[in-house]
Amino acid sequence: MATVATRTLTYAEAVNEAIRISMRQDPNVILLGEDIAGGADVDHLVDDEAWGGALGVTKGLVQEFGRGRVLDTPITESAFIGAAVGAAATGLRPIAELMFVDFFGVCMDQIFDQGAKLRYMFGGKARCPLVIRTTIGAGLNAAAHHSGCHYSVFTHMPGIKCVAPSTPADAKGLLLAAIRDDDLVLFFEHKLLYGLSGEVPEGDESIPLGTADVKRVGNDVTIVAISRMVHQALEAAEQLAAEGIEAEVVDPRSLSPLDSDSILASVAKTHRLVIVDEDNPLCSVAHTIAAIVADEGFDSLDAPIRCVTAPHTPVPFSPPLEQAYIPSPEQIAAAVRAIL
Amino acid sequence: MVVTERRAVELTGETLLGMYERMVLIRVFEETTMRQFADGQIPGFVHLYAGEEAVAVGVCTHLADSDFITSTHRGHGHCIAKGVDIAGMAAELMGRRTGICKGKGGSMHVADVEKGMLGANGIVGGGFPLACGAALTAKVHGTDAVTICFFGDGASNQGTFHESINLAAIWKLPVVFVCENNGYAEATTFAYHCSVADVATRAAGYGIPGVIVDGLDPLAMFSAAGDAIARARRGDGPTLIEAKTYRFYGHEEGDAATYRTAEEVEAHRRRDPLITFGAHLTGTGIATEADLDGMRARAQTTVDAAYAAGAAAPWPDPAETLDDVYVSYRGR
């Protein structure tokens, strides 16, 4: 296998690069969202002064592709998310940005009743090749309307694929695959990871949806962790290594489809499982993974499965409360020790 | 706001006859569907379009397959006006494998994307954003395709109505919003549920033309839709058309429509668009009574054959439940 050249990019830059590559390849790829270009109709903006999204992730794209393909929308999520569904069903391959996942409440019909169901309702005679990029995660003291994860809301829904990358390389590779995918994909970007740097392959190197990745090899316990929790789990694994416990950290990367085979294979090796999820626990991805392993991997287990999740509360504002909300490396390490 | 009079429109006899034929096909399909439903041949719910034929046909006579429409619960008439296959529709309503959506959608989700029909819709107000999206595709691709968003008076109170008309207006999307105001949102009167006397007046809030049309008159509908569609194709943006129309039956089959008086129904029945338009065609010498009767008989033959084929068609295999959720899906 040929070695792919890499260089260091941030997670945000990796997302931007995947979009840029896709827009160069396919004129049907368009970008729409609130301030996605920034400053539409403001004549004095030149070069890269325009926002490029509320968090700057799409900065520079309007300069290359123009305002005909990078569309600032009003604050009107039902209309523009639904328009993206309608555009996808009629020949475009849109990428819509839902600024924060918490805003799904104002556009859910268009995602859930229209985008996710139209192919099925139409007997397979329609497609919805749409990517909805959105941001997730606590840690910026942004309180309960700008800090949730909520991907479990969408994994519950047939017709939607859900992807939650934890590294810059995964963000680029999975987004390339998501944009090329002919189904509706929700792409969950963790706000606290945007500044994370890592080696990212050059060029058009996509990663298939539905493939997990082992981020750390170990024999004593499997820790399945999602999105930013991968990094919390890796930190816990270092603490445990000092005690002679070798944890294997598995990142599903894609939550629907879910690569349960890789999770079951790891548990078959380690015989113990801890799942770490920043989302709320009830009907969560964490509990689904626990159910799958209990159902299909019960004979592999030497101990009860433990889930380390956010509590069943909205995300609080005050820094000590928010820190208590987010699963910590210490909590993860404690959960591991409890089942060894 | 402009209120249209019935304008003289220059239409060939062939076009006029084609419009009548399409209207009578809708009427016959709906009345046959009513009987099939009563006979237990159609599962679920059906919402009949009878009485509103002039709206769908007046508008869709302007359209090609490359143009798009979005629709409502009451979507059979839109489908037929847009050229969706009758046999495929009948089998779909019956839940058969040969249905146009393979029995996955039924009456409230009949669709044919190849024909530009983006689906009847079970969500009131669900079609507005989708229509903007189809219009956006035309704008990005640089074609002259237009999208028609049919909706009911009840949907004019949904947030998507406001959001989508604003978006279409600021982006000058090639879309025409056509309100079928039949006076009732389910069992609730328009006078109760709407803050203004005419939905069309809401156009002023978005800086676009609002037009009130007699929705029982196919020529008035054709005229108003022609202006709006031309404006959309020119790149001048959307129009809001309000068609004052009436449904001859209940909200859905099984609804006795006790919220309407017999006198009110009878008054509208006297203005049945098939009667008035038929009289126009015979009065101007474009058709004879025998011509019109022949068209109705042919429509009945077509619809009967469609339902007979549907009744003879197989049910879907239960294994097909799992098909068509995704184009591709790895694993769980």
Side-chain angles (χ1 to χ4, degrees):
Chain A
M1 202 170 135
T3 309
V4 177
T6 66
R7 70 272 186 263
T8 303
L9 292 181
T10 67
Y11 186 96
E13 289 166 341
V15 168
N16 184 292
E17 184 168 277
I19 296 170
R20 189 182 297 273
I21 288 170
S22 302
M23 292 186 77
R24 284 178 181 168
Q25 284 176 351
D26 185 351
N28 284 317
V29 177
I30 63 161
L31 208 56
L32 70 170
E34 292 150 3
D35 297 310
I36 193 95
D41 207 33
V42 177
D43 294 334
H44 67 252
L45 281 177
V46 292
D47 300 328
D48 63 350
E49 288 174 353
W51 270 29
L55 299 174
V57 177
T58 50
K59 207 171 179 60
L61 295 172
V62 71
Q63 283 76 21
E64 178 168 351
F65 301 105
R67 291 196 181 268
R69 289 179 70 195
V70 183
L71 297 147
D72 278 339
T73 69
I75 298 173
T76 189
E77 284 88 1
S78 269
F80 83 78
I81 295 287
V85 171
T90 53
L92 293 182
R93 203 169 267 284
I95 304 168
E97 182 178 289
L98 181 62
M99 195 184 294
F100 295 90
V101 72
D102 311 77
F103 302 171
F104 78 75
V106 290
C107 57
M108 196 52 143
D109 177 63
Q110 293 297 317
I111 299 173
F112 164 63
D113 269 319
Q114 311 299 337
K117 293 179 182 173
L118 68 84
R119 177 174 179 77
Y120 193 75
M121 294 189 302
F122 298 178
K125 294 178 184 170
R127 295 180 176 201
C128 188
L130 163 63
V131 177
I132 300 175
R133 295 178 43 246
T134 190
T135 63
I136 61 170
L140 294 180
N141 309 124
H145 286 175
H146 296 77
S147 302
C149 283
H150 302 310
Y151 32 72
S152 57
V153 171
F154 298 92
T155 56
H156 184 68
M157 296 175 178
I160 298 177
K161 295 175 176 174
C162 296
V163 180
S166 68
T167 68
D170 287 350
K172 178 182 171 183
L174 292 165
L175 185 52
L176 282 168
I179 296 167
R180 211 160 285 157
D181 199 276
D182 282 330
D183 292 309
L184 171 54
V185 181
L186 269 283
F187 197 85
F188 300 94
E189 301 166 13
H190 200 295
K191 297 184 285 289
L192 264 63
L193 295 178
Y194 275 141
L196 178 73
S197 292
E199 289 298 296
V200 177
E202 304 258 14
D204 180 8
E205 296 291 329
S206 66
I207 297 169
L209 306 186
T211 57
D213 188 45
V214 176
K215 298 298 189 193
R216 184 186 195 280
V217 176
N219 287 318
D220 298 327
V221 62
T222 296
I223 306 176
V224 174
I226 297 163
S227 184
R228 178 171 173 249
M229 294 301 102
V230 169
H231 304 282
Q232 306 288 80
L234 289 170
E235 203 176 315
E238 290 310 305
Q239 295 175 13
L240 293 164
E243 303 163 25
I245 301 164
E246 291 300 331
E248 179 145 301
V249 177
V250 179
D251 177 1
R253 302 196 292 196
S254 155
L255 308 177
S256 176
L258 178 70
D259 181 3
S260 48
D261 289 348
S262 292
I263 295 167
L264 288 162
S266 179
V267 175
K269 181 176 76 170
T270 65
H271 310 294
R272 286 174 170 79
L273 176 61
V274 171
I275 305 159
V276 192
D277 186 353
E278 191 187 322
D279 207 346
N280 301 115
L282 299 187
C283 297
S284 63
V285 176
H287 284 184
T288 294
I289 292 171
I292 290 169
V293 173
D295 187 17
E296 300 174 29
F298 187 76
D299 292 342
S300 299
L301 290 168
D302 286 347
I305 299 166
R306 290 293 162 97
C307 292
V308 182
T309 71
H312 194 57
T313 68
V315 182
F317 162 66
S318 174
L321 297 179
E322 187 184 45
Q323 285 311 307
Y325 176 94
I326 302 167
S328 67
E330 291 69 28
Q331 286 174 296
I332 299 165
V336 168
R337 289 186 202 103
I339 59 167
L340 275 170
Chain B
M1 186 188 62
V2 178
V3 179
T4 56
E5 301 301 320
R6 174 172 173 177
R7 285 212 326 251
V9 285
E10 294 296 322
L11 285 170
T12 64
E14 187 184 5
T15 302
L16 291 168
L17 289 173
M19 289 173 69
Y20 183 88
E21 189 166 29
R22 198 52 67 114
M23 287 169 63
V24 86
L25 182 58
I26 295 171
R27 177 67 57 85
V28 167
F29 184 87
E30 294 298 63
E31 292 184 343
T32 308
T33 296
M34 184 172 61
R35 291 193 295 273
Q36 293 282 333
F37 183 82
D39 286 349
Q41 299 301 309
I42 298 174
F45 299 91
V46 292
H47 305 75
L48 299 180
Y49 195 73
E52 306 187 11
E53 294 89 345
V55 183
V57 171
V59 173
C60 292
T61 299
H62 292 281
L63 305 182
D65 286 356
S66 52
D67 297 311
F68 290 101
I69 66 170
T70 63
S71 174
T72 70
H73 287 57
R74 203 171 304 291
H76 305 164
H78 306 136
C79 289
I80 294 171
K82 196 67 172 65
V84 177
D85 177 59
I86 296 286
M89 286 178 64
E92 185 61 33
L93 267 57
M94 300 176 97
R96 303 305 171 113
R97 176 189 268 168
T98 53
I100 195 151
C101 301
K102 298 193 261 183
K104 293 274 178 55
S107 169
M108 278 189 281
H109 305 290
V110 180
D112 187 350
V113 177
E114 294 296 310
K115 286 279 182 189
M117 201 295 168
L118 296 174
N121 208 307
I123 304 297
V124 174
F128 295 111
L130 302 177
C132 289
L136 178 61
T137 296
K139 190 176 169 102
V140 170
H141 283 165
T143 70
D144 76 341
V146 70
T147 300
I148 309 296
C149 176
F150 291 106
F151 64 101
D153 50 291
S156 70
N157 299 321
Q158 286 280 30
T160 48
F161 168 90
H162 167 82
E163 292 195 27
S164 300
I165 297 181
N166 182 66
L167 188 69
I170 67 158
W171 283 354
K172 293 195 183 310
L173 293 176
V175 58
V176 179
F177 297 97
V178 179
C179 178
E180 297 174 320
N181 185 349
N182 62 23
Y184 297 87
E186 296 192 332
T188 299
T189 65
F190 178 72
Y192 175 83
H193 78 64
C194 190
S195 61
V196 288
D198 303 294
V199 172
T201 60
R202 290 182 170 174
Y206 314 104
I208 66 167
V211 183
I212 297 170
V213 188
D214 178 0
L216 297 176
D217 181 344
L219 297 180
M221 282 308 308
F222 181 89
S223 170
D227 291 347
I229 289 168
R231 174 182 150 85
R233 292 199 205 277
R234 278 199 309 271
D236 290 342
T239 300
L240 173 58
I241 294 175
E242 179 182 9
K244 302 283 193 186
T245 185
Y246 201 74
R247 57 171 151 82
F248 284 176
Y249 301 104
H251 169 67
E252 78 233 330
E253 277 308 278
D255 169 20
T258 50
Y259 43 85
R260 309 194 300 193
T261 63
E263 293 74 22
E264 179 188 295
V265 175
E266 185 50 37
H268 285 92
R269 284 274 191 181
R270 280 198 293 276
R271 297 189 58 228
D272 183 334
L274 283 172
I275 294 173
T276 58
F277 190 37
H280 172 74
L281 296 177
T282 54
T284 53
I286 291 167
T288 64
E289 290 289 350
D291 292 336
L292 302 185
D293 290 346
M295 277 193 245
R296 183 179 281 267
R298 283 196 296 280
Q300 191 66 61
T301 303
T302 300
V303 172
D304 287 346
Y307 271 111
W315 293 100
D317 189 306
E320 293 167 31
T321 305
L322 305 182
D323 297 340
D324 302 323
V325 182
Y326 296 92
V327 177
S328 64
Y329 196 73
R330 293 167 57 99
R332 202 179 295 270

